[in-house]
Amino acid sequence: MDFALSDDQIAIQDAARAFAEGQLAPHSAEWDEKKHFPVDVLRQAAELGFAGIYVQEDVGGTGLSRLDASIIFEALSYGDVPTAAYLTIHNMAAWMIDRFGSEDLRRRYLPRLTTMELIASYCLTEPGSGSDAANMRTSARLDGDHYVLNGGKAFISGGGVSDVYVVMARTGGDGAKGVSAFVVEKGTPGLTFGANERKMGWNSQPTAQVNFDDCRVPVANRIGQEGEGFRFAMMGLDGGRLNIASCSLGGAQLALDTAKAYLETRNQFGKPLDPQATKLCAMAKRFATDAGFQVANDALQLHGGYGYLQDYPLERIVRDLRVHQILEGTNEIMRVIIAREMFRQ
């Protein structure tokens, strides 16, 4: 298999890298500190075709491949992970409308979604059903030419700010086959939002609960047929998972490059970074701090999305314990010391 990028893909990568370097990286720290959602910059990204990457061209999309999208998101996340990640969500929602929506639905929304005149959110997770999303309780009852939605969605990126919400709701019986998908516009009576969540990360994009209280949505805003929504949602997540993986690669590359630059210039006691310690102390420090962080991180994971919120102490514990793997000599240096002492002649 040939893993080399084509000339077109290299050009796409270069454009995304240039945008990340010029428009994302210089502002990343400030956006995080001030919890600023850079809508203006997102719309600049849309001008490059990054808001409808695999949406068809007849409605303003770029019509690129999933690999092309992966290249773009990896490059963008090198500049700012949460902004790149939000673009993946917007693209996922737009793709679902393009792939499964009626021609009327496509024409009404996608020309404005691909320019990010309209910003989109994806609404699947509920307070009582995270990974077990097929057991969702948000309902959509048919009433004439409208559906009446009741329920709520949790941890919705863009909640309260986005203009368009792709919502999965139950129109039939239990399980996945009773779920349908809808496009719900901001401003629809009965659509309300919770407060912006206080999160450990992704501070430059809002996250809030989305609530439906007798929210009337036109039948024309249903995506596909009744009972197909969960399948659509899962297919959207297939692509979304590739995109988030790509964002992680970009963020990891930035972390690696930053660490490399630091270690190439950092000196202690007039020598390259290499704190002295005895073998047993280094072993104790390395083992206890790695294990402590892993225990705290696993505890956060067991809380699901709630562990990421400041309402619970887990995210604080994880942040506070993380530095212990750096203090008093990094754990990488502890391994060097242990190895050196073990093989000292």
Side-chain angles (χ1 to χ4, degrees):
M1 182 177 290
D2 183 7
F3 290 97
L5 300 182
S6 68
D7 290 344
D8 286 345
Q9 288 170 334
I10 291 171
I12 291 168
Q13 185 181 59
D14 288 345
R17 284 176 171 173
F19 187 82
E21 180 180 359
Q23 304 302 323
L24 301 182
H27 310 291
S28 182
E30 180 183 3
W31 292 343
D32 176 74
E33 180 182 359
K34 296 182 177 179
K35 296 179 172 57
H36 173 68
F37 188 41
V39 173
D40 56 334
V41 177
L42 288 170
R43 288 176 175 150
Q44 291 176 34
E47 292 176 4
L48 297 176
F50 296 161
I53 297 173
Y54 32 83
V55 169
Q56 297 175 74
E57 295 178 75
D58 65 317
V59 285
T62 313
L64 298 178
S65 71
R66 294 289 184 172
L67 176 57
D68 298 330
S70 181
I71 292 167
I72 290 168
F73 290 127
E74 180 180 352
L76 292 179
S77 62
Y78 191 91
D80 186 61
V81 170
T83 301
Y86 192 84
L87 275 172
T88 74
I89 296 166
H90 178 91
N91 271 270
M92 178 167 60
W95 175 81
M96 288 178 64
I97 296 172
D98 184 47
R99 177 67 176 81
F100 304 113
S102 66
E103 192 62 20
D104 168 69
L105 207 59
R106 294 179 70 246
R107 298 289 174 185
R108 275 195 286 137
Y109 289 107
L110 289 170
R112 291 181 291 165
L113 286 171
T114 54
T115 63
M116 293 197 85
E117 176 188 344
L118 298 180
I119 298 172
S121 288
Y122 174 92
C123 302
L124 177 66
T125 301
E126 297 185 356
S129 61
S131 299
D132 189 19
N135 286 323
M136 70 178 64
R137 297 188 179 277
T138 298
S139 64
R141 176 178 56 84
L142 184 62
D143 181 27
D145 58 358
H146 284 73
Y147 285 90
V148 181
L149 272 63
N150 283 282
K153 301 293 183 177
F155 308 120
I156 302 305
S157 292
V161 176
S162 290
D163 307 287
V164 170
Y165 298 84
V166 173
V167 179
M168 274 50 73
R170 187 164 300 287
T171 53
D174 295 340
K177 292 184 178 180
V179 175
S180 301
F182 303 89
V183 177
V184 183
E185 292 188 18
K186 185 179 181 180
T188 301
L191 175 63
T192 60
F193 308 97
N196 189 18
E197 303 285 9
R198 298 186 303 158
K199 307 189 298 291
M200 180 178 175
W202 277 21
N203 287 319
S204 63
Q205 55 166 277
T207 303
Q209 186 158 327
V210 177
N211 303 305
F212 309 94
D213 183 10
D214 288 337
C215 180
R216 296 182 65 84
V217 178
V219 170
N221 277 31
R222 189 186 64 217
I223 302 174
Q225 300 301 311
E226 279 197 5
E228 295 185 313
F230 191 76
R231 179 172 65 89
F232 299 163
M234 293 302 100
M235 291 178 69
L237 284 178
D238 286 343
R241 288 162 183 160
L242 295 176
N243 295 338
I244 286 296
S246 303
C247 289
S248 294
L249 286 176
Q253 187 65 56
L254 175 61
L256 180 62
D257 290 349
T258 302
K260 182 175 182 292
Y262 175 80
L263 292 173
E264 287 174 348
T265 59
R266 174 68 167 163
N267 283 273
Q268 287 190 358
F269 309 111
K271 297 180 180 179
L273 199 62
D274 187 11
Q276 299 299 308
T278 67
K279 179 178 69 172
L280 293 178
C281 288
M283 291 172 73
K285 190 267 181 181
R286 200 286 307 164
F287 179 82
T289 55
D290 278 355
F293 178 80
Q294 187 63 50
V295 167
N297 197 48
D298 287 348
L300 185 153
Q301 186 75 13
L302 288 172
H303 280 69
Y306 291 103
Y308 205 60
L309 304 183
Q310 292 181 358
D311 302 86
Y312 294 82
L314 276 306
E315 61 87 25
R316 184 180 71 252
I317 297 170
V318 169
R319 288 189 285 111
D320 289 342
L321 288 183
R322 180 62 182 85
V323 74
H324 294 188
Q325 296 171 297
I326 299 170
L327 295 173
E328 315 303 338
T330 68
N331 281 10
E332 289 70 28
I333 291 300
M334 295 303 101
R335 291 178 173 87
V336 171
I337 292 170
I338 293 165
R340 185 188 62 215
E341 294 295 322
M342 287 178 65
F343 294 100
R344 185 186 294 276
Q345 297 296 329

